[in-house]
Amino acid sequence: MLSFEEKLKVIESFPQLERKDVSLRRVNFHYVESGSEKRNVVYHLHPNGNGFVYADKLKEYDTDNKGMVNIRNFSEAELREIIGKSIQSLAPNTIEEKTIAEESVEQEEWINSKNNALLLLQEEGFWNIYAGVNLENSFSSYEEACEYLKEEGFKKS
């Protein structure tokens, strides 16, 4: 198992990540240029060696309900690999997001149980939700926009 200092050295070798000290001497590392609302790549790295890396979009890892993988017993190579893949999965305009955007329609109408309608439009790389002419919300991916609409009780018409 790598020590806290060894893990810090590996993590800090990724120039895309920004260190954020949090409570109880734990450390988070954010990917500021993330293409989604998710920014934490390394979460609660603790001096005892425990910590987590975001891997929700990475199928080869078993994640918890927050999309995190415990890195307590990772080797240096394993740690470098998962962090690199995590950053790549959060990068703006990844191949996956481009493919989804290309396959998706550019405009959809969503309706709730009260017959209120919202319009989902793809505009300049963003997925915008309109209530009439008013912008309700904006998302960097189609999935995030759909998730929001479903949580608000809307369905595609």
Side-chain angles (χ1 to χ4, degrees):
M1 177 175 95
L2 296 173
S3 70
F4 175 70
E5 291 76 20
E6 291 169 324
K7 287 179 181 169
L8 274 178
K9 186 176 178 182
V10 170
I11 297 164
E12 289 173 342
S13 72
F14 289 88
Q16 307 94 317
L17 300 180
E18 182 177 294
R19 181 180 174 147
K20 300 281 185 183
D21 293 334
V22 292
S23 62
L24 305 173
R25 301 183 334 203
R26 294 176 297 186
V27 181
N28 290 347
F29 284 86
H30 296 190
Y31 178 38
V32 179
E33 296 177 17
S34 174
S36 74
E37 292 179 13
K38 183 70 181 158
R39 301 229 185 298
N40 258 349
V41 171
V42 178
Y43 179 70
H44 285 178
L45 180 65
H46 192 275
N48 70 8
N50 203 25
F52 301 89
V53 170
Y54 180 73
D56 197 41
K57 296 180 181 183
L58 307 176
K59 295 181 187 341
E60 63 266 35
Y61 296 98
D62 290 328
T63 61
D64 64 14
N65 61 348
K66 294 181 181 178
M68 299 289 193
V69 172
N70 190 303
I71 58 167
R72 181 181 192 89
N73 297 316
F74 274 40
S75 69
E76 180 179 344
E78 291 170 324
L79 185 57
R80 284 188 188 286
E81 180 179 348
I82 193 170
I83 291 171
K85 288 180 177 180
S86 179
I87 291 169
Q88 186 177 16
S89 77
L90 293 171
N93 299 321
T94 62
I95 293 171
E96 178 183 332
E97 287 175 350
K98 285 181 183 176
T99 302
I100 290 167
E102 289 167 3
E103 292 174 0
S104 300
V105 295
E106 293 181 7
Q107 177 177 312
E108 292 178 348
E109 185 177 54
W110 289 65
I111 298 178
N112 69 6
S113 61
K114 296 178 182 176
N115 258 355
N116 296 321
L118 294 177
L119 191 60
L120 175 61
L121 291 172
Q122 183 184 18
E123 300 175 305
E124 298 179 17
F126 291 95
W127 289 93
N128 298 324
I129 299 171
Y130 288 92
V133 295
N134 298 319
L135 179 63
E136 173 81 17
N137 217 325
S138 185
F139 298 90
S140 59
S141 76
Y142 177 76
E143 289 81 11
E144 289 173 322
C146 290
E147 184 177 326
Y148 169 81
L149 287 163
K150 289 174 186 174
E151 287 173 0
E152 294 296 318
F154 285 82
K155 294 182 181 181
K156 277 191 242 184
S157 64

